[in-house]
Amino acid sequence: MPSHFLYSTNVFLKLVIQERFRNDVHYVWCSESFNPSKLNPYSIKSMIAPSSSPCDIYNEIKNALTRNDRHSDKINNQKLSFKNLADNWEAGGEITKEQRDEIYYMTENATSNDWRPLIYIIPRAIFDGSSRLKTVAPAKRASFGVEYIIEDLSRTEFDLIEL
Amino acid sequence: MLQTLKNRSAQEARKVLAAASATVLPQPFDVDFASRYGTTEEAVNSVLSEIRRNVGVAPNDHSRQAQSKIVDFLSETLSETTFAEADRTAARARLGQRGDLSLGLYEIRYVEDFNERLAESGLRKSEVQKTAKDPDAFEHLKPITFVRDKNRSISFLVKNFLTGSNSYTALIVAERSDFFLEVDSAWKIYHDEVDVAQKTPHQIFKAFLDIYGADIIMGGKTKKYFNHEMVSQNPNETKKTLAFEALQEHGADYYGYVESGGSDNADFLEVFQAYMINRSKYKDSLRRHGTLVK
């Protein structure tokens, strides 16, 4: 039975970038369980690798910030990801060069507060009957568990929490 | 500069680096990034191979540590190659002007005669500096301005100093221009005189003006505070003027701030900010609370 909610962990800076430069429309990678390690180990829902587990991602970033380590793997990945997104959007004519530069500047000068992780909670029912919830190709997943992509999540379609 | 990019134009280098970045980051679907960014797979692979050599990672090492080194190097190279210092400064200025810059990235400076204003504010320089550097709250006004001839907006920064019955809030009014915050004035607002509870910095300033501000008459309106409003100039004159009148108490000393913009001959001017603070009344309050003031 599908979960009622989908979960995604993203840093605060991503929320801001999508809000300011993408009309508050969000691109998220999500899964059906916040903490797959707590599930029945024989269930496919539990087969989400730590690198894709919203709970593990959240804790990894949180712990890095507690240690004052803004060069952790996850944060470094995020830095490159934001620069890449900016280049991608500019190449597609979706943002201007000035906006691309602003995203670069914000990424390079982000503080610990900007890197703090947030949990997005997304009601699954809003995708019933639509093709907006896309399944990540098995070869692209970190493990066997199903992962999803939502490319056009409106800010009104999810809640945010911090632990 | 990576050797493999040395003979490429800046634009080509950007394309290759963007494609290389997309290749190393987790992706949900199969995409030909080389084509998407207008470069070749060969160019992308050359760059990635050189990066691996630079960071000391074997070609067949796909461990997390190896990945981390490559990502870090790529991120730095992207910035060095495609983000010039002039662009960085311009981006900072635009973000700052809009009020979208982290507070720590603004440069704080003070108007020329700030020391004189400070002497009459009842605050110590250290309190103002603390408020500017580490406020409890700040608010950048982001009005929709009708007039674009002035690159100045207003920011408020506040800090609470809780000292029992004499608790107060230090409030700074700063002019924001690019990534500069120029402190124009600072005020010591006692909590038993002005209700600051549950208020934003701008709301605190308005509450302060409700008590210490003088009524101003402009363009047919009478208020204690004009904030980014269009005000009519006197019609039927050969030279239009902004009529301004403040209802001041006889003998009292006032601190006034009026900034406007627009064409002198237009029917309307935009008043960015206008207020008159009864400094005599303000200083009386300071003295009642035991603050020594000039």
Side-chain angles (χ1 to χ4, degrees):
Chain A
M1 181 178 143
S3 307
H4 295 297
F5 297 99
L6 300 162
Y7 303 88
S8 179
T9 294
N10 298 277
V11 295
F12 177 66
L13 181 57
K14 183 165 188 294
L15 184 77
V16 170
I17 288 172
Q18 302 276 175
E19 178 189 281
R20 288 196 195 147
F21 299 98
R22 305 295 286 172
N23 296 319
D24 217 359
V25 173
H26 301 257
Y27 178 103
V28 297
W29 198 317
C30 52
S31 61
E32 290 184 293
S33 168
F34 173 66
N35 188 355
S37 71
K38 297 290 188 190
L39 299 178
N40 173 0
Y42 300 107
S43 154
I44 194 163
K45 285 185 189 176
S46 72
M47 296 176 190
I48 300 283
S51 59
S52 292
S53 156
C55 179
D56 286 351
I57 294 169
Y58 186 94
N59 286 331
E60 189 173 335
I61 296 174
K62 194 91 177 169
N63 291 338
L65 294 176
T66 304
R67 292 191 311 268
N68 210 22
D69 177 12
R70 277 185 273 157
H71 292 280
S72 83
D73 294 350
K74 275 281 178 280
I75 292 177
N76 279 346
N77 257 17
Q78 294 286 297
K79 286 181 187 172
L80 183 62
S81 172
F82 296 155
K83 291 178 184 179
N84 187 245
L85 279 174
D87 287 329
N88 195 15
W89 295 333
E90 192 204 354
E94 295 161 56
I95 63 172
T96 64
K97 182 195 175 296
E98 286 73 27
Q99 290 174 315
R100 175 262 186 200
D101 288 348
E102 286 167 24
I103 293 171
Y104 262 65
Y105 186 86
M106 288 164 72
T107 302
E108 286 179 356
N109 293 279
T111 63
S112 298
N113 185 56
D114 297 318
W115 294 120
R116 73 184 201 272
L118 306 172
I119 302 162
Y120 294 15
I121 302 179
I122 309 156
R124 201 196 175 108
I126 58 177
F127 302 105
D128 288 346
S130 87
S131 56
R132 293 170 63 205
L133 188 65
K134 296 179 178 156
T135 309
V136 175
K140 295 290 181 179
R141 298 176 203 166
S143 188
F144 295 113
V146 180
E147 299 171 35
Y148 300 98
I149 290 290
I150 308 165
E151 293 173 327
D152 59 355
L153 189 66
S154 156
R155 182 60 188 92
T156 56
E157 291 179 319
F158 65 96
D159 268 338
L160 285 172
I161 60 171
E162 287 184 73
L163 302 177
Chain B
M1 168 67 112
L2 290 171
Q3 292 300 311
T4 44
L5 296 177
K6 221 171 172 181
N7 296 322
R8 292 181 184 270
S9 68
Q11 196 180 17
E12 283 177 3
R14 273 182 75 164
K15 288 178 183 177
V16 176
L17 288 170
S21 302
T23 304
V24 304
L25 289 167
Q27 300 292 345
F29 311 115
D30 272 320
V31 177
D32 177 357
F33 289 110
S35 300
R36 187 180 198 164
Y37 287 97
T39 183
T40 65
E41 200 176 325
E42 186 194 1
V44 171
N45 289 339
S46 296
V47 159
L48 290 174
S49 296
E50 186 180 351
I51 290 175
R52 280 180 172 272
R53 287 193 299 276
N54 282 355
V55 301
V57 163
N60 58 353
D61 184 351
H62 299 287
S63 66
R64 186 167 162 161
Q65 291 86 340
Q67 173 78 355
S68 182
K69 287 181 182 179
I70 294 166
V71 162
D72 202 19
F73 191 96
L74 246 178
S75 183
E76 297 232 2
T77 305
L78 258 175
S79 287
E80 279 165 13
T81 311
T82 71
F83 195 28
E85 196 55 40
D87 293 332
R88 190 173 274 111
T89 304
R92 183 185 178 196
R94 286 192 303 274
L95 286 165
Q97 186 62 52
R98 291 203 305 263
D100 287 341
L101 199 63
S102 294
L103 192 65
L105 294 170
Y106 282 96
E107 283 187 28
I108 308 286
R109 51 190 190 189
Y110 296 83
V111 294
E112 210 174 299
D113 62 342
F114 183 73
N115 283 342
E116 289 169 37
R117 298 182 192 189
L118 180 68
E120 298 194 272
S121 73
L123 288 165
R124 290 191 291 273
K125 185 100 189 233
S126 60
E127 289 174 319
V128 173
Q129 287 167 335
K130 236 186 226 179
T131 303
K133 283 217 146 57
D134 183 30
D136 290 329
F138 62 91
E139 189 170 351
H140 299 304
L141 295 191
K142 300 180 187 183
I144 300 168
T145 58
F146 304 99
V147 170
R148 299 256 175 231
D149 65 347
K150 287 196 178 174
N151 196 32
R152 243 186 341 222
S153 303
I154 299 294
S155 297
F156 298 96
L157 301 95
V158 297
K159 192 161 188 77
N160 293 316
F161 292 85
L162 303 175
T163 57
S165 57
N166 265 353
S167 295
Y168 58 91
T169 295
L171 180 142
I172 285 175
V173 183
E175 289 186 3
R176 188 173 81 250
S177 179
D178 293 341
F179 50 85
F180 296 100
L181 285 177
E182 186 172 67
V183 177
D184 181 81
S185 62
W187 307 95
K188 190 171 186 177
I189 301 176
Y190 281 99
H191 295 175
D192 61 354
E193 301 261 356
V194 178
D195 181 11
V196 302
Q198 309 292 328
K199 287 188 167 72
T200 67
H202 192 201
Q203 289 170 335
I204 292 173
F205 184 63
K206 289 187 211 178
F208 174 68
L209 289 178
D210 280 344
I211 295 177
Y212 295 102
D215 279 329
I216 296 170
I217 305 170
M218 270 202 295
K221 301 181 201 178
T222 303
K223 317 208 270 190
K224 291 183 191 289
Y225 181 41
F226 285 75
N227 175 36
H228 284 279
E229 297 175 50
M230 299 305 284
V231 172
S232 60
Q233 300 211 81
N234 281 336
N236 302 321
E237 300 269 354
T238 50
K239 183 172 186 256
K240 291 188 169 61
T241 54
L242 179 63
F244 174 96
E245 188 187 345
L247 303 179
Q248 301 181 48
E249 281 179 21
H250 178 68
D253 170 41
Y254 283 83
Y255 171 83
Y257 184 100
V258 182
E259 276 286 342
S260 61
S263 167
D264 284 345
N265 286 326
D267 290 334
F268 289 87
L269 277 187
E270 183 177 1
V271 175
F272 299 128
Q273 294 266 295
Y275 50 87
M276 297 283 293
I277 295 172
N278 185 331
R279 206 152 36 186
S280 301
K281 185 178 178 182
Y282 170 75
K283 285 184 188 177
D284 285 343
S285 166
L286 294 179
R287 292 183 186 108
R288 273 202 307 279
H289 288 88
T291 297
L292 290 174
V293 63
K294 186 177 155 187

